[in-house]
Amino acid sequence: MINASDFRNGVTFEMDGGVWTIVEFLHVKPGKGAAFVRTKIKNVVTGAVLERTFNPTEKFARAYIETKEMEYLYNDGDFYYFMDQETFEQLPLTHDQVADAIPFVKENTNVTVRFFKGSAFSVQAPNFVELEVVDTEPGFKGDTATNTYKPATLETGFVLQVPLFINVGDKLKIDTREGGEYLGKVGYLKGLMEGLDFSDDPSKGRLLTAMVELLGDLSDRVEGVEELMDDLNDYVESIDDDLAELEGSGGDDFHSINDDEYEDEYYDEMEGGEDHLHLLGGKADRDADDPETLAGSICPACSRMFFISLDDPDDAQYDCPHCGKRVTPTPLTPENAPIARPVED
């Protein structure tokens, strides 16, 4: 027998004809009134969860759950068959009895079968399993983000959410304890362990296994970084191509502010030593008969260039032709001038 005052997580007991295990507990001693034990308990057979309060002096019969490691063989549509690895006897179980474990278990996988008073009532999958992806949307180069997910179907039929870079044929490590959680892609270096014999020194085998798993994880991360760098290089090349195409199509009307020939031809410093530059060609020719009365300026709101009159005071305000805001323009200099764009007719 066990008193409720002795309840701890994992304790299993019989109550109301069922077998229950303590999931959470709290011993409460209020300032007034009797002490009590607040618990959350789970029926180990049906999976039902209850919140219940007990008197510390209540007594219950301990429930002794037996476990046995057995091998999952196959299912015939009605029953799932497991083999005792010592006696080779086969045990048929219904789908309800194996429902929690079977989504993560392949044939010939060892599982833990739980018994109460000699009768099997549930099956527990290994805490971690490795399963292959048989169906998912294809991953594309650069899909290395781990905070965006897509559905993937595993070889057991179980469907879970995985990162975008996962592809059909990838083998994944799954945590089965919380309903199936993706942990990562199994590193290819793990294959180096196959066929090695460490029976003479098991500790070496465990150490090498841990090292190979770590190297595999590092390899996957390096692969993701390499793909990201490839994407960045492709992006930079595309920008270079766009600029070259733009310059080729713009003809004489396209110039860089760092182009010395352009500066010599189109810009002169204003008289008086001020920093203003006025445009002697290009778009100004279309806007005024006397381009020397215009000065290039930068809109502080949208950072684009437009032209103002040299006769206006420095603090004069204008309506920016690009963003429409009324601003006091910043004088245009070679340092702050944007790349000039092709002039549109």
Side-chain angles (χ1 to χ4, degrees):
M1 302 294 288
I2 183 172
N3 291 335
S5 60
D6 295 325
F7 280 171
R8 299 291 186 272
N9 288 349
V11 169
T12 306
F13 64 98
E14 297 182 48
M15 183 185 71
D16 300 333
V19 182
W20 303 83
T21 184
I22 304 296
V23 178
E24 296 178 4
F25 76 97
L26 178 65
H27 293 275
V28 181
K29 295 181 179 180
K32 294 182 179 181
F36 59 91
V37 182
R38 180 182 295 126
T39 66
K40 179 182 290 186
I41 58 177
K42 180 179 180 180
N43 190 303
V44 299
V45 177
T46 65
V49 178
L50 300 178
E51 293 185 0
R52 182 157 175 170
T53 300
F54 295 93
N55 186 310
T57 60
E58 290 185 77
K59 294 180 181 290
F60 300 91
R62 276 187 177 273
Y64 293 96
I65 305 299
E66 298 176 354
T67 61
K68 180 178 291 187
E69 186 172 293
M70 304 184 74
E71 180 182 354
Y72 171 54
L73 298 179
Y74 66 95
N75 83 86
D76 60 6
D78 296 321
F79 295 96
Y80 295 78
Y81 293 86
F82 299 82
M83 184 180 70
D84 188 319
Q85 295 181 308
E86 295 179 356
T87 66
F88 302 106
E89 294 180 357
Q90 294 187 17
L91 173 68
L93 297 177
T94 65
H95 182 270
D96 290 341
Q97 293 173 311
V98 304
D100 292 339
I102 209 65
F104 312 107
V105 177
K106 300 186 296 181
E107 294 180 357
N108 306 119
T109 299
N110 288 346
V111 298
T112 300
V113 181
R114 307 175 76 189
F115 296 82
F116 178 63
K117 294 183 178 180
S119 298
F121 64 86
S122 71
V123 175
Q124 181 178 352
N127 289 340
F128 304 99
V129 296
E130 296 176 359
L131 297 172
E132 184 176 329
V133 177
V134 296
D135 184 44
T136 191
E137 295 179 1
F140 294 98
K141 185 178 180 181
D143 284 341
T144 56
T146 56
N147 59 347
T148 306
Y149 295 87
K150 62 181 179 179
T153 303
L154 305 180
E155 55 188 307
T156 59
F158 182 70
V159 179
L160 79 167
Q161 297 296 312
V162 299
L164 298 179
F165 59 81
I166 297 299
N167 286 297
V168 172
D170 287 343
K171 185 169 288 187
L172 310 182
K173 188 171 185 178
I174 309 299
D175 185 343
T176 67
R177 294 171 295 182
E178 298 296 333
E181 180 183 359
Y182 166 84
L183 295 180
K185 189 167 67 170
V186 177
Y188 70 91
L189 290 178
K190 187 176 180 181
L192 297 176
M193 296 296 297
E194 298 180 359
L196 298 180
D197 183 10
F198 295 99
S199 57
D200 59 332
D201 191 348
S203 62
K204 288 184 178 179
R206 290 192 294 270
L207 177 60
L208 184 56
T209 298
M211 293 177 62
V212 168
E213 289 181 351
L214 177 60
L215 288 173
D217 181 64
L218 291 175
S219 175
D220 291 338
R221 293 176 183 270
V222 170
E223 180 180 355
V225 173
E226 290 176 345
E227 291 181 354
L228 180 59
M229 293 301 298
D230 289 341
D231 288 340
L232 289 174
N233 289 333
D234 292 342
Y235 180 67
V236 171
E237 291 177 0
S238 69
I239 292 178
D240 291 340
D241 293 341
D242 291 342
L243 289 175
E245 180 179 354
L246 185 61
E247 184 172 4
S249 63
D252 294 337
D253 289 324
F254 181 91
H255 298 276
S256 167
I257 197 62
N258 296 319
D259 187 339
D260 293 337
E261 181 179 352
Y262 176 61
E263 292 182 14
D264 293 341
E265 180 179 357
Y266 290 98
Y267 285 99
D268 284 333
E269 293 187 7
M270 290 180 56
E271 295 180 1
E274 297 183 11
D275 290 332
H276 285 79
L277 300 177
H278 62 279
L279 196 61
L280 302 179
K283 190 174 185 301
D285 291 333
R286 306 165 188 255
D287 292 343
D289 294 334
D290 184 5
E292 295 188 7
T293 63
L294 298 177
S297 296
I298 301 295
C299 172
C302 66
S303 301
R304 298 185 66 178
M305 185 176 69
F306 65 97
F307 301 95
I308 63 175
S309 173
L310 291 174
D311 297 331
D312 292 339
D314 290 342
D315 59 353
Q317 292 189 327
Y318 299 84
D319 292 328
C320 175
H322 304 294
C323 66
K325 294 184 179 180
R326 191 162 185 81
V327 296
T328 299
T330 301
L332 178 67
T333 68
E335 288 74 24
N336 69 7
I339 294 177
R341 302 188 178 191
V343 176
E344 299 180 0
D345 294 331

